[in-house]
Amino acid sequence: MSVFADALGLVFQPYVLLVIFASAAFGMFVGAIPGLTATMATALLVPVTFFMDPVPAIAAIVTATAMAIFAGDIPGTLLRMPGTPASAAYVEDGYRMTRSGRAEEALGASLVFSSIGGIFGTIVLITASPALAEVALKFSSFEYFWLVVLGLSCAIFVSPGSASKGMISLIIGLFAATIGIDNPAGQPRYTFGNVELLAGIQFIPAMIGLFAVSEVFRAVVHRAGDRPPMEPGGRKGVFGVQWANIKRYPAQAFRGSILGTAIGALPGAGADIAAWISYAVSKKFSKTPEKFGTGHVEGLVEAGASNNGAVSGAWIPALVFGIPGDSITAIVIGVLYIKGINPGPTVFINDPQLIYAVFIVFFLANIIMLPLGWAAIKGARTILSIPSRILMPIILMFCIVGSFAINNTPFGILLMLIFGVLGFLMEENDIPIAPAILGLVLGPMLEQNFVTSMIKADGDFLGFFERPIAAGLGAFTIAVWCIPLVLYLMRRRSAEQTV
């Protein structure tokens, strides 16, 4: 109890609280700008943390990360420009709700359930860190291969319309992921002698192009000024219907929180994969799956809870074993080393007050997310009143800045434009964009884990089923593929017998 009291004393100091609020505002700002991710917000804070003690330094990173993950939903919902990769999973539903005058309801759902998922993940972080971290450490390349394949299978579930068009989009994304030199043979692939392509397709310019620039092209081609008006918000405001959503979708919120925390605890997974898988699971088990992608709040509930649950979950292997759960916790581990603290089992013995302080900061970050998020939503809604002829050039300017800022090279802008044209052509032919983004994100992980596993198994495919967890994931993934096909054949046979 004295350790907990010491931790409270470390956190509830005017300086630390000021750092938390300043970092929250910074994370909200960075996350809301397309192209500037939560990881970038964390990286930009690192030089500032050099001049801080361990507790305010970690508090700054925790708070900025949680805010940036939520803030990515704001441009995604209002402008169909996801601010972070995790927001891309459910951007279509949020944007459709905006077009029907329910922008504040959509953003309110993202805000409330992000906070719920973050608090749930923090509770799990406190109570079950050692057990979950022990399971996460048992994941090898075999388990990660099946996890990635399962994530790619979700592309079919998250795509509205026909499964065949979803598969076409996924293949486009996987093909883009093969470009570059990042492969086992170390040979350039599909680079056509271009030095810039040796590093592969940069994800952020591609995502900005597919979602944002394609939207600008569509506004120009289809005369966006003639579109139906997008009302800033409903009559009930940001929080007006969220209590009803909590009572209507408790299972979805709970399931998203669990899934997000569990996936976040797996080293290298993170909030992006968690959001995609949770959205797919939500659609799979929904009573109204046909509404997903048309402006339905159910997917926002589950995926929103999942991505912030994953933020907390990623700290489990980082704190218990010193193994980063994602790129953000990798930065955190570096900061801790600079402060003379070695993350791992010994930190619970040598610096228990620091660990409790981290837990308290997580709770604070997810609680202050509600008022700050409300203020951000109220401020951002003015975007909807701007005429399209003024708004679209501003959007294009932000797209160019975000794409250039990744590597400070004009090639990012060229990639953005190419993928913008591609995204426009895909949507003109009713090919969904979301599976292509998923293929681009998970493609490198798929190849790396497949090749590593084949080397370990000496080319034997049965090696993917020899480990218990890998066998379970493999069987589940194959069942996900086969069950819809079996049900289809059974329905077809039943129909033939009826005739």
Side-chain angles (χ1 to χ4, degrees):
M1 199 66 181
S2 62
V3 173
F4 183 71
D6 291 342
L8 285 173
L10 289 173
V11 173
F12 286 94
Q13 297 180 20
Y15 173 65
V16 177
L17 294 176
L18 178 63
V19 167
I20 289 174
F21 276 98
S23 301
F26 173 76
M28 196 75 72
F29 174 75
V30 173
I33 298 177
L36 303 184
T37 63
T39 305
M40 187 175 292
T42 306
L44 291 173
L45 279 177
V46 170
V48 181
T49 62
F50 290 160
F51 307 99
M52 298 180 182
D53 291 333
V55 171
I58 296 174
I61 292 174
V62 168
T63 310
T65 303
M67 298 299 164
I69 291 291
F70 156 70
D73 295 344
I74 295 176
T77 300
L78 298 182
L79 302 171
R80 202 167 172 266
M81 298 167 58
T84 60
S87 306
Y90 44 89
V91 65
E92 199 63 47
D93 275 306
Y95 184 67
R96 294 291 182 91
M97 290 178 72
T98 296
R99 294 299 299 269
S100 60
R102 298 161 61 203
E104 290 191 351
E105 180 187 343
L107 288 171
S110 296
L111 175 60
V112 169
F113 290 97
S114 289
S115 179
I116 290 173
I119 291 172
F120 178 89
T122 303
I123 294 171
V124 174
L125 175 64
I126 295 171
T127 57
S129 293
L132 282 176
E134 189 174 338
V135 172
L137 282 179
K138 293 181 179 178
F139 270 61
S140 68
S141 58
F142 296 100
E143 287 79 11
Y144 276 111
F145 169 77
W146 286 118
L147 185 67
V148 171
V149 172
L150 182 61
L152 290 172
S153 303
C154 293
I156 306 304
F157 298 129
V158 301
S159 59
S162 69
S164 59
K165 289 185 176 180
M167 183 63 72
I168 291 171
S169 179
L170 178 62
I171 291 172
I172 291 173
L174 288 173
F175 172 74
T178 64
I179 297 173
I181 203 171
D182 188 17
N183 58 81
Q187 294 293 323
R189 288 185 306 199
Y190 310 117
T191 60
F192 305 103
N194 189 309
V195 177
E196 298 275 7
L197 284 176
L198 290 176
I201 297 295
Q202 297 287 332
F203 173 69
I204 297 300
M207 186 181 75
I208 291 174
L210 285 170
F211 280 112
V213 178
S214 64
E215 188 71 20
V216 173
F217 288 159
R218 191 160 40 254
V220 173
V221 172
H222 297 294
R223 297 294 180 94
D226 300 330
R227 68 188 177 191
M230 294 189 295
E231 308 213 2
R235 289 167 295 178
K236 297 185 178 180
V238 176
F239 297 120
V241 297
Q242 300 318 318
W243 179 244
N245 284 333
I246 291 173
K247 292 191 290 184
R248 187 176 183 183
Y249 302 115
Q252 287 82 347
F254 187 60
R255 187 170 59 207
S257 299
I258 292 175
L259 195 57
T261 305
I263 293 174
L266 301 175
D272 304 346
I273 297 177
W276 287 95
I277 291 181
S278 290
Y279 185 83
V281 168
S282 183
K283 183 175 180 179
K284 183 66 177 176
F285 292 100
S286 174
K287 295 179 181 178
T288 55
E290 70 282 355
K291 292 184 179 180
F292 280 65
T294 64
H296 190 43
V297 76
E298 186 176 353
L300 298 180
V301 167
E302 189 154 345
S306 179
N307 57 21
N308 263 53
V311 171
S312 303
W315 282 69
I316 294 171
L319 290 179
V320 179
F321 290 100
I323 297 174
D326 58 7
S327 56
I328 293 169
T329 47
I331 295 172
V332 170
I333 288 174
V335 171
L336 289 175
Y337 277 125
I338 292 171
K339 302 297 179 184
I341 299 169
N342 297 329
T346 57
V347 77
F348 287 82
I349 300 171
N350 298 332
D351 297 289
Q353 68 279 0
L354 176 65
I355 299 301
Y356 278 99
V358 170
F359 297 156
I360 294 168
V361 168
F362 264 106
F363 278 116
L364 282 177
N366 285 287
I367 290 171
I368 66 171
M369 182 190 297
L370 294 173
L372 287 178
W374 176 86
I377 292 169
K378 288 295 184 181
R381 58 179 283 184
T382 56
I383 294 172
L384 299 182
S385 61
I386 301 174
S388 291
R389 67 180 182 277
I390 299 173
L391 181 62
M392 290 304 163
I394 295 174
I395 290 174
L396 188 59
M397 181 187 70
F398 274 110
C399 292
I400 292 171
V401 171
S403 298
F404 180 84
I406 301 302
N407 286 323
N408 291 328
T409 170
F411 187 72
I413 300 174
L414 179 61
L415 272 182
M416 175 199 76
L417 292 174
I418 291 172
F419 277 91
V421 173
L422 177 63
F424 172 76
L425 294 175
M426 288 171 65
E427 293 215 319
E428 288 295 295
N429 292 279
D430 296 323
I431 298 174
I433 288 175
I437 291 291
L438 192 59
L440 195 57
V441 171
L442 297 184
M445 288 181 64
L446 177 72
E447 181 179 29
Q448 179 185 356
N449 288 296
F450 175 75
V451 173
T452 303
S453 299
M454 289 297 287
I455 292 172
K456 290 179 181 177
D458 200 22
D460 185 5
F461 282 100
L462 292 178
F464 288 90
F465 296 93
E466 288 179 352
R467 296 165 59 90
I469 299 178
L473 282 172
F476 180 74
T477 303
I478 292 172
V480 168
W481 295 344
C482 294
I483 288 175
L485 179 61
V486 171
L487 292 175
Y488 169 75
L489 293 175
M490 289 174 63
R491 286 195 299 267
R492 185 174 178 181
R493 183 177 179 181
S494 175
E496 289 176 352
Q497 290 176 349
T498 304
V499 174

